[in-house]
């Protein structure tokens, strides 16, 4: 109650001086954003996350990690663009194997080298979907690494890919693939049959200059960043634009090279940024809540964040390419207290 009264007083005073309501609220809350000694600070001054561990590959270090996905059993899958395979770690971060390997045959993977952003996704059954960029296809593996499905070919037609690098799975099993050369997203049914596409190159509503990897929330809405456009866009299951927000910069709530989105059941939107080397948290409407930059981790601050993923158990996984690792954090109140049932 005291905080509410304080906010109202600040708002009235600012309005009397000719300010705006948004300015008033910003003055009332002065968050510490980057370089904090704790993992993250919300606008109310409470920690947002706590560091748990780093996954580096230990004796076989990760070289160029981009995508991370979590299985129902807590297994951690990481694409390594330089190695043409997916690294598999157990829930404690110990390396337990790989999926794929260089080649063109079914079950093999061919990425475009260390600078090729490669992403993957898991479904509720624990299957792994990998964007096999240089083979212009999506491959679906079971948890043992056996191929269950492969679809796609090179081209700009329906169901084809030029650089299909990002993949996400909807609650109904639909498969979404982002292609940054085509500047669009294609939707497939669970068997890999083309359904529809949305997006095109440009700066208008529903367009992309450089789309990021997609994320699908529990309602089936598709969230996609635009790294060059410095924005986040939300689409319905049929590709209709629902919302768009974001602006370029390094301040709280601004974006520089946003790469991916993760969403929990409470509607918190986590956005990873390559340019600003941090993860920011927003509400569904794009209002800034908090951020952290990994300064408290053993490897130091993030330098180029490629991906952020939630595991459905209140844990956040952050991929940093510049210091090749996956940093693992636990959500703390007030974020954790609002979680309900998180969305993987």
């Amino acid at each position: 109650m005291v905080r509410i009264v304080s906010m109202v007083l600040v708002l009235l005073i600012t309005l009397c001086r000719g300010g705006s309501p948004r300015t008033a609220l910003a003055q009332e809350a002065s968050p510490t954003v980057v370089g904090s000694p704790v993992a993250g600070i919300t606008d109310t001054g409470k920690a947002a996350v706590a560091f748990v561990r780093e996954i580096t590959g230990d004796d076989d270090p990760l070289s160029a990690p981009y995508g991370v996905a979590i299985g129902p059993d807590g297994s951690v899958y990481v694409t390594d663009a330089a190695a043409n395979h997916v690294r598999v770690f157990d829930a404690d971060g110990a390396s337990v194997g790989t999926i794929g390997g260089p080649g063109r045959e079914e079950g093999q993977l061919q990425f475009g080298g260390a600078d090729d952003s490669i992403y993957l996704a898991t479904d509720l059954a624990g299957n792994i979907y990998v964007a096999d960029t240089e083979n212009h296809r999506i491959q679906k593996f079971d948890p043992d690494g056996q191929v269950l499905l492969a679809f796609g070919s090179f081209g700009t037609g329906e169901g084809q890919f030029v650089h299909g690098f990002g993949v996400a799975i909807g609650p109904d099993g639909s498969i979404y693939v982002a292609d940054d050369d085509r500047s669009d997203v294609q939707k497939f049914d669970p068997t890999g049959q083309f359904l529809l596409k949305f997006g095109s190159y440009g700066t208008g509503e529903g367009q992309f200059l450089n789309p990021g990897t997609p994320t699908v929330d529990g309602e089936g809405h598709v969230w996609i960043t635009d790294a060059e456009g410095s924005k986040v866009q939300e689409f319905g299951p049929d590709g209709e634009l629902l919302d768009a927000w974001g602006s370029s910069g390094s301040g709280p709530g601004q974006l520089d090279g946003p790469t991916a989105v993760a969403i929990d059941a409470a509607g918190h939107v986590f956005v990873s940024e390559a340019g600003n080397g941090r993860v920011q948290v927003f509400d569904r409407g794009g209002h800034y809540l908090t951020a952290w930059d990994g300064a408290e981790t053993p490897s130091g601050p993030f330098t180029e964040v490629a991906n952020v993923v939630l595991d459905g158990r209140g844990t956040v996984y952050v991929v940093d390419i510049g210091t090749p690792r996956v940093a693992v954090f636990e959500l703390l109140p007030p974020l954790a207290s609002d979680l309900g049932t998180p969305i993987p």
Side-chain angles (χ1 to χ4, degrees), residues 280-338:
Q280 295 196 80
V281 186
F282 302 82
D283 66 17
R284 291 185 72 99
H287 302 99
Y288 169 82
L289 299 176
T290 189
W292 77 95
D293 69 347
E296 73 293 346
T297 64
S299 297
F302 303 137
T303 59
E304 188 179 353
V305 184
N307 203 191
V308 58
V309 169
L310 299 172
D311 72 348
R313 292 174 286 272
T315 308
V316 187
Y317 297 77
V318 181
V319 179
D320 185 26
I321 311 166
T323 54
R325 55 176 163 156
V326 179
V328 185
F329 301 87
E330 176 189 1
L331 291 176
L332 299 178
L335 289 180
S337 61
D338 292 340

Side-chain angles (χ1 to χ4, degrees), residues 68-264:
V68 61
I70 313 302
D73 63 350
S75 295
V76 182
Y77 302 93
V78 183
T79 53
D80 194 324
N84 297 297
H85 63 212
V86 174
R87 291 288 296 275
V88 185
F89 301 88
D90 67 18
D92 295 321
S95 180
V96 295
T98 62
I99 294 174
R104 305 288 183 179
E105 300 299 320
E106 189 174 89
Q108 296 179 318
L109 300 169
Q110 197 67 46
F111 304 148
D115 293 330
D116 192 10
S117 53
I118 310 292
Y119 293 89
L120 75 171
T122 52
D123 62 20
L124 295 177
N127 299 312
I128 306 102
Y129 301 73
V130 184
D132 189 2
T133 52
E134 295 302 297
N135 289 323
H136 311 291
R137 64 187 176 188
I138 300 298
Q139 294 201 73
K140 174 184 177 181
F141 299 86
D142 70 14
D144 294 323
Q146 299 301 307
V147 177
L148 301 177
L149 175 69
F151 64 92
S153 61
F154 178 78
T156 58
E158 294 181 350
Q160 295 184 309
F161 309 115
V162 178
H163 187 253
F165 75 103
V167 60
I169 310 302
D172 63 351
S174 296
I175 305 167
Y176 295 84
V177 182
D179 192 314
D180 54 0
D181 276 6
R182 293 173 45 132
S183 296
D184 64 11
V185 177
Q186 297 186 76
K187 179 180 180 180
F188 302 84
D189 72 13
T191 68
Q193 296 300 306
F194 173 84
L195 296 176
L196 58 88
K197 75 178 184 70
F198 56 93
S200 60
Y201 183 79
T203 59
E205 292 186 349
Q207 294 184 308
F208 308 102
L209 293 176
N210 186 10
T213 188
T215 296
V216 186
D217 66 22
E219 299 177 5
H221 295 179
V222 186
W223 297 72
I224 307 173
T225 60
D226 188 338
E228 290 184 33
S230 300
K231 63 183 176 182
V232 175
Q233 298 191 85
E234 177 187 1
F235 297 86
D238 294 327
E240 69 276 19
L241 180 67
L242 302 177
D243 199 5
W245 43 265
S247 62
S248 179
S250 58
Q254 295 181 314
L255 301 171
D256 183 2
T259 52
V261 171
I263 304 167
D264 66 27

